[in-house]
Structures are given as C-alpha cells and as structure tokens.
Amino acid sequence: MNKTKIILDCDPGHDDAIAIMLAAKNPAIDLLGITVVAGNQTLEKTTVNALNVCQYLGLDVPVYKGCGQPMIRENQLIAADIHGESGLDGPVFAPLTKQMESKHAVLYMVDTLLASDGDITVVTTGPMTNLAMAMRLCPDIVPKIKEIVLMGGSYQLGNMTPAAEFNILVDADAAHVAFTSGRMLTMVGLDVTRKVLCLPSVMERMEKHQNSAGKLFVDLMRFFNMTQKEVFGWAGGPLHDPVTIAYLIDPTVLTTKTCFTQIDIRSEQSYGRTNCDIFNIFKKTPNSHVAVDIDVAKFWNIIETGILAYR
Ligand code: BDR
Ligand code: CA
C-alpha cells in the first residue's frame, strides 16, 4: 500500500493529541514529522505537550518547534478555557525525556518539501502560521505540496466570535496566505467537527480499551468534555482535529463541496471568518474543498481502530 506522507502541524491541545495518536500508527499514513505552533497554549507549552504525547505513546517521530506568535497580529490568543493551563490538562505524564529537534519547524517544512517528490500532504490542526511562514520564506515549496488539509474555519458559525473559528482567528493573515497560495485546501471546519461529539456512549465504548491509547483518549476527553460543556453547553466535546486524519485514512468519511474561499482579514465584526462561496456566487476559481457533512459512525470506527493499533 502507498502510504500518504504527512507533516502534522499542530498546537496540542486535546484534539490535536488524538490526531497525533491516530496518524502515528495507521498503515495508510507515514507521519514524517510533527511541527508545533502556538495556539491552544503558548509555544513552550504546546511543544512540551507534543513531546509528552509522543513519549507516552512510544512514538519515534521528530518534533519541531515553530512560531510562537501570529505573522502580523501582536495579540496571541490562547484557549486555556478549553484546554487548561498546560494546554493538555487531564492526563498525568512521566518526566519528559524526549527532546525536540534543533531545526525550526518552518525550516523543516521548507527543507522537507523542497527535497520531496511532491508527495507530502501538510495537515494543520492549529493556527496556520508555520505553513504560511514557510510559503513566504520559500514560495518554491507551494507546488511541491501534494495537498493541504486543515482543521479550521466554518461556512456557518464560528466558536470564538459568531463569525470566526479559533485556528483561523488566531492568525487570519496566515490562513489568508494559505488560501491565496494557489494550492487547493481541504477545509475541515466546525460544520462537520461539531457533528462528532464525544458523548457518554462514545466514552463508554473507548473506555473498554485499556491500552495506552485508550487510557490517553479517556483522560483527555474527560477534561475536554467538561470544559466544552462549561463553555458551549455540549453534552460531549467536538473532536475537531482528528477529522483531518480520518479523512486521509478514508476520504469517504467526509462529503465536500469545491468552492472559492476567502479569509476575512479586514472587517471588525467578522475578522477571521472563512467566507466559503458554496453557491458559486462570485464565479471565482475554486481554491478549496469544504467539508459539509461527515459519516459519524465511520468516524468513530476509525478512532476506535486507531486506539486498537496500540498495545
Ligand atoms: C480548534 O481550536 C482548538 O482549540 C482545537 O484544538 C481545534 O484545532 C477548534 O476550533
Ligand atoms: Ca488544534
């Protein structure tokens, strides 16, 4: 089987951690490297979190620390209300021995993509700063990217403002760079991730698997479900980020619409909104496949199989 090579750019983050877990052991995926960005917490914390997840799961994947603030905006937003003080509250990890690589994440992306045969997919599950910086630093990487799959945005409502989703709002300029790069993006937004709620029935199902991944899943989702209930009133937290990986494992998990998408980087009220021209009103060349529906049962089967891949 030809594995899909990916670079996973993330800001762990509970759902990012599960995306790492899912990507690292799936036979259809070759996880080349994890690049980290500030988002759910500061860069120091999200980097430690990525290392902790890898160490806990026994993953020999290189981790690269990237950008600690947005490209232009001075204000770094974090999501401590959802992910806690550490950015990954809930599980208790052993003392950290795994070390990050010395290369900057942006340089790793540039070097790896340039040296590739155009067969690497970039998955972003945090603010798109690292990818956008890499594109600006070395535009030659753009045609080398096989596919960009992002968790971010929404063609309906946001979660940070009525208009904007967190990953896009944190660094809307970076998202703008990616969406105007000329490369097609697959946008996995809140429209579908809000359909995969980690309800008590899901917790019960995954709790049966007492291996490392099953325990991590439950420890993470207990905390995440609690804060999601406090902040949004959900009966279970939406498992946003792993949908990107589930889509790469089995593209039929998502229904997408191909359309032109523009990031709002101008207005005050709707800053960070992903304006998806689903009805093709502007008649512009499409730059995105926007996820509009998800096969929920298939998604949870993929997550469960992902957990069972661990000892
Ligand atoms: C996104 O924001 C973060 O808090 C999550 O990790 C996810 O990537 C959802 O809006
Ligand atoms: Ca994330």
Side-chain angles (χ1 to χ4, degrees):
M1 180 200 281
N2 258 355
K3 290 187 170 210
T4 302
K5 294 181 184 173
I6 70 165
I7 295 174
L8 176 54
D9 187 62
C10 57
D11 63 335
H14 294 68
D15 48 339
D16 302 82
I18 293 170
I20 294 173
M21 181 267 280
L22 191 58
K25 290 256 167 146
N26 192 281
I29 290 181
D30 184 3
L31 178 57
L32 301 178
I34 295 171
T35 52
V36 185
V37 68
N40 286 323
Q41 260 296 353
T42 62
L43 180 63
E44 296 308 317
K45 292 182 182 181
T46 54
T47 305
V48 165
N49 293 344
L51 290 167
N52 267 327
V53 170
C54 290
Q55 179 175 293
Y56 173 82
L57 292 172
L59 306 177
D60 189 18
V61 182
V63 173
Y64 300 84
K65 187 176 176 182
C67 296
Q69 63 182 115
M71 291 181 84
I72 296 171
R73 272 191 135 190
E74 284 179 26
N75 183 17
Q76 171 71 53
L77 296 170
I78 57 165
D81 56 339
I82 297 291
H83 298 272
E85 264 318 299
S86 69
L88 207 57
D89 279 13
V92 179
F93 295 107
L96 187 59
T97 52
K98 182 173 169 72
Q99 296 194 344
M100 65 179 184
E101 305 299 310
S102 53
K103 200 181 245 191
H104 192 282
V106 172
L107 298 178
Y108 165 73
M109 271 189 186
V110 168
D111 292 349
T112 310
L113 289 165
L114 274 186
S116 77
D117 296 328
D119 57 350
I120 298 176
T121 295
V122 179
V123 180
T124 67
T125 62
M128 301 182 86
T129 321
N130 287 340
L131 176 60
M133 291 290 279
M135 285 174 162
R136 283 295 191 252
L137 181 65
C138 182
D140 287 352
I141 65 165
V142 174
K144 287 279 203 164
I145 302 173
K146 183 181 172 203
E147 193 182 353
I148 301 168
V149 182
L150 73 131
M151 190 282 132
S154 160
Y155 72 84
Q156 301 174 97
L157 297 171
N159 59 0
M160 289 296 283
T161 72
E165 180 278 333
F166 179 80
N167 289 338
I168 306 295
L169 183 71
V170 171
D171 197 349
D173 299 292
H176 171 76
V177 169
F179 275 83
T180 53
S181 67
R183 214 76 202 132
M184 284 299 276
L185 295 101
T186 298
M187 183 184 119
V188 178
L190 298 173
D191 315 289
V192 292
T193 65
R194 278 179 176 148
K195 294 185 183 175
V196 284
L197 300 178
C198 194
L199 298 169
S201 56
V202 173
M203 289 295 276
E204 248 173 62
R205 177 175 170 186
M206 305 306 166
E207 217 161 14
K208 290 195 184 114
H209 308 303
Q210 283 294 309
N211 60 4
S212 58
K215 285 184 190 146
L216 182 65
F217 181 94
V218 169
D219 287 350
L220 287 168
M221 294 316 286
R222 262 203 203 111
F223 183 88
F224 191 67
N225 282 348
M226 183 185 75
T227 57
Q228 287 283 346
K229 191 168 179 35
E230 279 166 16
V231 177
F232 297 105
W234 303 116
L239 199 48
H240 307 287
D241 294 338
V243 178
T244 55
I245 306 296
Y247 164 74
L248 290 172
I249 292 169
D250 180 356
T252 66
V253 81
L254 291 179
T255 307
T256 59
K257 275 229 164 201
T258 301
C259 68
F260 173 70
T261 294
Q262 201 167 21
I263 310 297
D264 187 342
I265 48 169
R266 302 245 156 75
S267 90
E268 210 173 295
Q269 296 91 342
S270 307
Y271 182 83
R273 180 174 163 77
T274 43
N275 281 311
C276 304
D277 188 7
I278 300 265
F279 295 119
N280 195 19
I281 295 164
F282 294 147
K283 307 272 181 291
K284 289 200 175 182
T285 308
N287 60 352
S288 57
H289 306 294
V290 173
V292 294
D293 207 358
I294 183 163
D295 185 329
V296 176
K298 210 177 252 184
F299 174 76
W300 291 119
N301 287 342
I302 293 172
I303 294 290
E304 188 171 37
T305 307
I307 289 174
L308 289 170
Y310 289 79
R311 278 191 282 163

